[in-house]
Amino acid sequence: MSGQEKRETKFETKLIHFGGEVDEATGASSVPIYQASTFHHHDIFNPPQHDYSRSGNPTRQALEDYIAVLEGGVQGFAFASGMAAISTTLMLLSAGDHIIVTEDVYGGTYRLLSNILTRMNIETTFVDMTQPELVKAALKANTKAVYMETPSNPTLKITDIAEISAWARDKGLLSIVDNTFMTPYYQRPIELGTDIVLHSATKFLGGHSDVLAGLAVARTDELARQLKYVQNGLGTVLGAQDSWLLMRGMKTLGARMAHSEISARKLADWLSRRGDIDAVFYPGLANHPGREVQEKQSTGYGAVVSFDVGSGERAKRLLNLVKLPLVAVSLGAVESILSYPPMMSHASMPPEVRAERGITDGLLRFSVGLEDIDDLLADLDEALRNS
Ligand SMILES: *Cc1c(COP(=O)(O)O)cnc(C)c1O
């Protein structure tokens, strides 16, 4: 070969120069918000590229191209929420199909699978995916897909994405990963062999607690065609304004994740050294059961730390004492967010199922934002001492 090979740019450069960042018509430094539902046919024999915004909108298209570049897939899809991305993707299944799912999956995904898709005769087996043998043992004649969430929520259990995806492909199953906690900055499941990557972009990708959105990326053209069909058929798309806002947030993903992760490591170490905490869950801790797999498939540990303060009473007292973090559902924002899974994200899970899955009454989840870590620790220290 003569000449130079085209050098591939690094991830942080792709975050800024993803290909659609400049408006082709005017050179504007950001993609315009095409606030239009429909598009004029100047020539009926030569229709416009987009004809109706449910089927395609130029602003949404830029976002969809953006996430496809970041995840390394062939095509991206933007949805009105993470659950819209998840539910639409699961519409690739049919009545009578069976799916194997991470045991401590996001509460909303659990509800969708156990209370809504069951009505359509789609059957789920929840499995502790830290043990690949258990995933393999759950295979049935009608199994069509494997759905992973790693690190899982809120106890940050790690699934070996490459091993499960390879097994799924071997068995002819669709493999799906909810990559919300890691984002493509740290983990790119398609490069590890997964078919479809999903996001609640409401979290780290958006990053500012001001937009609700979901994303999906397909590994192959055939899967992209199928996803496009269900996205358009169900109409679960993201609007133009929110598509723009999400891209605005995504440009700083690298800087935000890197900063928050340094702080999250400090928080996890600090909590581990205390005598008044029953357990700390963070994939970067030396004693975290999934640490080795995490280091194989990801370039970081993320910005979410869960810890058990011993009892539900103490957890609730602490939530009323902390001054800096937002006490709220959600995660992945510029501001730290302290959540109480038993009463928030996992409230829809029956108490006995929560207990089975290690979501104890004293469990709190800290999503570390961009505040100075010394201030966050001082605030948490005071709240812990007084709770
Ligand atoms: C929040 C979340 C979802 C759901 O996303 P929404 O944007 O709230 O609909 C799905 N998966 C994970 C891991 C989440 O944290």
Side-chain angles (χ1 to χ4, degrees):
M1 249 206 197
S2 65
Q4 280 184 305
E5 296 270 335
K6 193 168 179 297
R7 181 179 169 278
E8 211 193 326
T9 52
K10 300 271 169 67
F11 187 85
E12 291 195 285
T13 306
K14 285 185 191 158
L15 270 174
I16 309 301
H17 302 284
F18 54 92
E21 67 275 14
V22 173
D23 177 35
E24 289 200 357
T26 64
S29 60
S30 91
V31 179
I33 301 173
Y34 285 93
Q35 192 65 50
S37 59
T38 192
F39 300 83
H40 179 58
H41 292 55
H42 286 288
D43 169 4
I44 195 69
F45 299 108
N46 191 14
Q49 188 194 353
H50 300 287
D51 72 346
Y52 188 60
S53 277
R54 171 160 43 73
S55 316
N57 172 283
T59 314
R60 192 176 86 232
Q61 179 79 53
L63 167 64
E64 292 178 331
D65 294 347
Y66 190 11
I67 191 63
V69 166
L70 299 183
E71 287 287 5
V74 301
Q75 200 175 333
F77 301 90
F79 298 90
S81 67
M83 286 317 304
I86 294 166
S87 56
T88 302
T89 300
L90 291 178
M91 284 297 121
L92 295 175
L93 299 176
S94 302
D97 287 352
H98 170 248
I99 179 167
I100 305 169
V101 177
T102 298
E103 180 181 63
D104 43 1
V105 73
Y106 176 73
T109 310
Y110 174 83
R111 175 173 44 203
L112 171 68
L113 289 160
S114 351
N115 301 335
I116 301 174
L117 293 181
T118 41
R119 289 199 270 107
M120 277 117 224
N121 198 19
I122 291 169
E123 183 198 2
T124 304
T125 304
F126 294 99
V127 171
D128 173 2
M129 291 207 182
T130 61
Q131 294 173 271
E133 321 78 72
L134 296 182
V135 180
K136 296 171 189 175
L139 184 72
K140 299 197 199 190
N142 58 341
T143 307
K144 291 287 156 57
V146 184
Y147 184 106
M148 297 165 254
E149 186 180 315
T150 181
S152 69
N153 182 23
T155 55
L156 305 162
K157 290 188 184 147
I158 309 300
T159 299
D160 190 326
I161 297 172
E163 176 167 357
I164 304 295
S165 298
W167 172 79
R169 188 170 311 171
D170 187 47
K171 299 289 175 199
L173 315 178
L174 186 66
S175 55
I176 304 168
V177 169
D178 180 334
N179 203 27
T180 299
F181 271 49
M182 281 297 117
T183 80
Y185 180 70
Y186 285 129
Q187 178 169 285
R188 291 185 288 280
I190 288 175
E191 292 176 3
L192 299 166
T194 304
D195 294 320
I196 295 175
V197 177
L198 299 174
H199 283 283
S200 169
T202 311
K203 316 296 167 53
F204 291 104
L205 289 173
H208 295 71
S209 300
D210 55 9
V211 60
L212 197 68
L215 295 169
V217 180
R219 187 177 59 79
T220 67
D221 291 329
E222 173 53 22
L223 280 172
R225 190 192 61 73
Q226 292 174 21
L227 267 177
K228 177 82 202 173
Y229 193 78
V230 285
Q231 183 198 38
N232 188 40
L234 294 170
T236 43
V237 295
L238 190 64
Q241 306 240 2
D242 284 345
S243 295
W244 184 88
L245 198 52
L246 183 53
M247 284 188 276
R248 165 75 131 85
M250 283 165 68
K251 290 177 184 176
T252 55
L253 177 71
R256 288 185 285 105
M257 287 305 277
H259 179 114
S260 289
E261 197 205 38
I262 291 170
S263 297
R265 291 186 196 201
K266 286 185 186 159
L267 171 65
D269 283 336
W270 181 83
L271 286 166
S272 305
R273 285 196 306 271
R274 290 183 74 98
D276 62 345
I277 301 291
D278 282 11
V280 184
F281 304 93
Y282 184 63
L285 287 174
N287 64 355
H288 191 83
R291 180 171 163 145
E292 227 175 275
V293 176
Q294 179 70 15
E295 290 180 345
K296 189 178 70 167
Q297 66 192 13
S298 170
T299 53
Y301 308 109
V304 177
V305 180
S306 296
F307 55 101
D308 189 333
V309 294
S311 73
E313 293 318 307
R314 187 170 184 225
K316 286 175 226 166
R317 280 197 300 273
L318 182 133
L319 288 164
N320 279 344
L321 285 169
V322 287
K323 296 194 180 75
L324 288 178
L326 212 59
V327 173
V329 171
S330 201
L331 57 112
V334 290
E335 68 278 354
S336 291
I337 301 179
L338 187 57
S339 314
Y340 186 44
M343 284 172 72
M344 295 178 177
S345 54
H346 291 67
S348 59
M349 205 175 257
E352 61 281 6
V353 180
R354 273 206 304 269
E356 247 172 60
R357 294 177 190 187
I359 305 163
T360 49
D361 287 346
L363 194 69
L364 292 162
R365 188 186 71 198
F366 204 117
S367 165
V368 184
L370 301 181
E371 302 91 340
D372 188 293
I373 185 62
D374 293 338
D375 290 336
L376 289 175
L377 296 184
D379 180 35
L380 193 54
D381 183 50
E382 191 173 325
L384 281 167
R385 279 191 286 107
N386 294 316
S387 64

